[in-house]
Amino acid sequence: MNILLIGAGGREHALAWKLTQSKLCDQLFVTQGSDAIECEPKTSCVDLDVTNHHAVIQFCKEHEVEFVVIGPETPLIEGLTDPLEAKNIAVFGPSKKAAQLEGSKAFMKNLCKKYDIPTAAYECFTEISPAHDFIDKLGAPIVIKADGLAAGKGVIVAETIEQAKKAVSDMLSGEAFGNAGASVVIEEFLDGEEVSFFAISDGNIVLPLSSAQDHKRVFDGDKGPNTGGMGAYSPARQGLWTPELEQNVMECIVKPTSEAMQAEGTPFKGIYYAGLMIVKGQPYLIEYNVRFGDPECQPLMMRLKSDLGMILYDAAIGDLSQWKERGAIQWRDEHAMCVVMATEGYPGAYKKDTLIEGLDDIEQTDSSKIFHAGTHKMDGKWLSHGGRVLAVTSVGKTLELSKLETYGMISRIHWADGFYRKDIGWRALKTGKS
Ligand code: AMP
Ligand code: GLY
């Protein structure tokens, strides 16, 4: 069948790479896609305005697209799934209502409270004065979150009460994030280790995929401001992430969420990306995202042995039953690491159109691949095109070997205006249990 993938980043490059290997895929269209994505076999990039749902439907009809995979959160939260499904086009991704799990932190927190899903203690506020009183009551450190989508910047981990009160005032006044901050969630600070856990649901059946760990801070040693993610590896650190913990997360967090979404009349179909904090061996839900993580998707796709297109399509049509048996979704029993190369200045202002050399000389295989997050090609040369630009990924028998291969590829990329973290995987490698 013809498949349309929505998105343009490193995550979508990895999804495109894997989808074109699917026996379901005759042709893959990607919008907006990128020059690098278009280098994948069977792939054409098209220029569609995804906020114009009618235009997307029209494209699908004209190009006999039977299946749409939505990569990023924004089109999901803006409700692209529903009108496509109304025209009998299968869509991988939740409905507009179900995407609220990521689109509204208050929605997600209230669901947790109602259905007893472990998460940090919290309250929601729209007025400054009661919010400040709650901060005084809870004390610092404390976490302040804008309710709506704020391009990954809507979370402030405040070290002091003063910082917390200022963050609340900035958000509620509309100064910080406009409408996304018109309501805030204030929550208890959880002191633990973060894991990204991925599960897939067809609206009813929910199955575990795998785990990963991201590196959100921009500089080595987890210093500097938060970013979209500077590198990730999968699976998560073995001393931390055990089969028992995964089962606990499925039984106490993901399955109850799936049942809750059904009970609320908003069944969830798509990816549950549970952002977890593990505190003394116990998992707490920090947030849900309703799509694959970026860059977590890249190592995940490299480890996935099964046919991605089939799994996503079966989820989209509401029938994951053939994947229910333990081990039906197969993974390489290896470790994958992705290191993000970003433009100097990111996550602040950065230059565009800087020259990157060496990319075409690096051999790409099933076990090592450079996914492009923000490049374009001009006159045969690769130029940067964003903050996070390349997601260099490899898989190896151990995390150590994957790290050697990934950084080996990076050493052959010549990019004067780029930078990357040198310590991706430090937690897992420190313990030596990779
Ligand atoms: P989010 O955008 O919700 O993923 O939050 C961004 C980051 O803030 C997370 O990756 C955590 O590192 C941190 N964070 C969010 N909520 C909490 C919390 N309750 N306790 C500690 N850290 C948190
Ligand atoms: N890596 C973090 C995210 O995708 O939200």
Side-chain angles (χ1 to χ4, degrees):
M1 63 173 67
N2 293 344
I3 303 175
L4 172 65
L5 170 66
I6 311 282
R11 166 183 49 213
E12 286 75 27
H13 191 180
L15 291 173
W17 177 69
K18 202 69 192 156
L19 281 172
T20 53
Q21 295 169 32
S22 167
K23 68 177 189 201
L24 274 189
C25 180
D26 289 324
Q27 202 184 349
L28 180 71
F29 296 104
V30 189
T31 183
Q32 300 295 315
S34 66
D35 292 333
I37 290 177
E38 200 154 43
C39 293
E40 297 303 327
K42 306 191 238 177
T43 303
S44 321
C45 293
V46 291
D47 191 15
L48 286 176
D49 171 9
V50 296
T51 63
N52 181 346
H53 297 171
H54 179 72
V56 180
I57 291 168
Q58 205 54 32
F59 179 86
C60 292
K61 285 199 174 144
E62 281 165 15
H63 295 83
E64 294 175 358
V65 170
E66 290 172 60
F67 181 34
V68 177
V69 176
I70 304 179
E73 61 277 18
T74 305
L76 291 167
I77 291 164
E78 288 176 353
L80 178 56
T81 301
D82 311 63
L84 285 167
E85 285 186 335
K87 297 287 180 196
N88 290 321
I89 298 164
V91 182
F92 183 73
S95 67
K96 182 174 187 172
K97 280 191 176 153
Q100 288 273 100
L101 260 192
E102 175 166 359
S104 165
K105 294 197 191 292
F107 175 90
M108 169 256 162
K109 295 294 285 191
N110 292 337
L111 195 86
C112 287
K113 191 180 264 180
K114 183 166 170 192
Y115 292 91
D116 250 342
I117 295 163
T119 187
Y122 77 102
E123 293 289 340
C124 300
F125 297 92
T126 51
E127 303 290 335
I128 291 178
S129 163
H132 282 188
D133 292 346
F134 187 68
I135 292 170
D136 283 328
K137 192 171 124 201
L138 225 57
I142 187 167
V143 184
I144 316 294
K145 300 184 174 183
D147 177 43
L149 272 196
K153 293 179 187 144
V155 175
I156 309 285
V157 180
E159 302 293 338
T160 64
I161 286 185
E162 292 67 39
Q163 225 183 330
K165 287 184 176 173
K166 181 170 181 329
V168 162
S169 305
D170 289 349
M171 285 185 196
L172 287 181
S173 68
E175 244 167 64
F177 305 110
N179 212 23
S183 151
V184 297
V185 172
I186 302 182
E187 67 181 44
E188 159 199 24
F189 174 79
L190 294 174
D191 194 6
E193 187 169 337
E194 285 185 74
V195 173
S196 305
F197 177 64
F198 299 88
I200 187 166
S201 180
D202 62 8
N204 178 30
I205 297 169
V206 51
L207 303 175
L209 290 176
S210 192
S211 62
Q213 284 182 290
D214 190 9
H215 298 64
K216 290 231 167 85
R217 302 297 191 107
V218 69
F219 299 129
D220 283 17
D222 289 336
K223 301 264 173 15
N226 266 333
T227 67
M230 293 299 292
Y233 53 93
S234 171
R237 180 168 80 77
Q238 287 185 324
L240 176 77
W241 190 255
T242 59
E244 295 72 36
L245 183 55
E246 177 172 310
Q247 198 177 347
N248 181 348
V249 169
M250 284 302 291
E251 295 306 324
C252 301
I253 296 180
V254 182
K255 283 186 187 164
T257 306
S258 174
E259 284 159 14
M261 294 299 277
Q262 288 181 67
E264 295 290 314
T266 53
F268 182 95
K269 164 179 62 71
I271 290 293
Y272 283 108
Y273 160 177
L276 303 169
M277 189 71 86
I278 314 300
V279 185
K280 300 193 180 94
Q282 285 306 311
Y284 293 83
L285 182 69
I286 293 185
E287 61 162 357
Y288 269 125
N289 296 309
V290 298
R291 33 88 194 168
F292 282 106
D294 190 348
E296 293 99 317
C297 184
Q298 290 83 319
L300 225 52
M301 288 305 114
M302 201 161 267
R303 285 188 51 233
L304 181 65
K305 279 206 279 194
S306 301
D307 185 318
L308 178 74
M310 303 260 296
I311 300 171
L312 300 189
Y313 184 71
D314 286 344
I317 62 169
D319 187 10
L320 274 175
S321 53
Q322 66 157 315
W323 303 98
K324 254 174 113 168
E325 286 300 310
R326 211 181 164 73
I329 300 179
Q330 293 193 334
W331 300 91
R332 289 169 73 156
D333 189 17
E334 291 176 294
H335 297 257
M337 180 182 286
C338 167
V339 176
V340 170
M341 297 182 78
T343 313
E344 221 37 271
Y346 173 78
Y350 51 81
K351 280 200 254 176
K352 283 198 178 142
D353 297 324
T354 63
L355 179 65
I356 308 169
E357 290 176 298
L359 289 175
D360 291 333
D361 302 329
I362 300 171
E363 196 200 355
Q364 321 252 328
T365 67
D366 274 356
S367 300
S368 58
K369 172 100 182 156
I370 300 171
F371 296 110
H372 289 229
T375 63
H376 62 120
K377 205 164 194 179
M378 200 179 272
D379 303 329
K381 295 193 165 92
W382 289 105
L383 303 177
S384 70
H385 192 74
R388 293 190 297 168
V389 169
L390 299 169
V392 184
T393 309
S394 78
V395 64
K397 286 243 164 305
T398 63
L399 190 60
E400 196 92 68
L401 287 172
S402 162
K403 180 173 177 174
L404 272 177
E405 175 65 23
T406 302
Y407 281 98
M409 282 196 281
I410 288 178
S411 70
R412 284 178 274 151
I413 297 171
H414 305 292
W415 180 21
D417 295 283
F419 76 100
Y420 55 92
R421 276 183 65 162
K422 316 277 188 303
D423 65 344
I424 300 304
W426 68 269
R427 281 178 198 277
L429 294 169
K430 195 176 65 171
T431 62
K433 285 188 202 156
S434 64

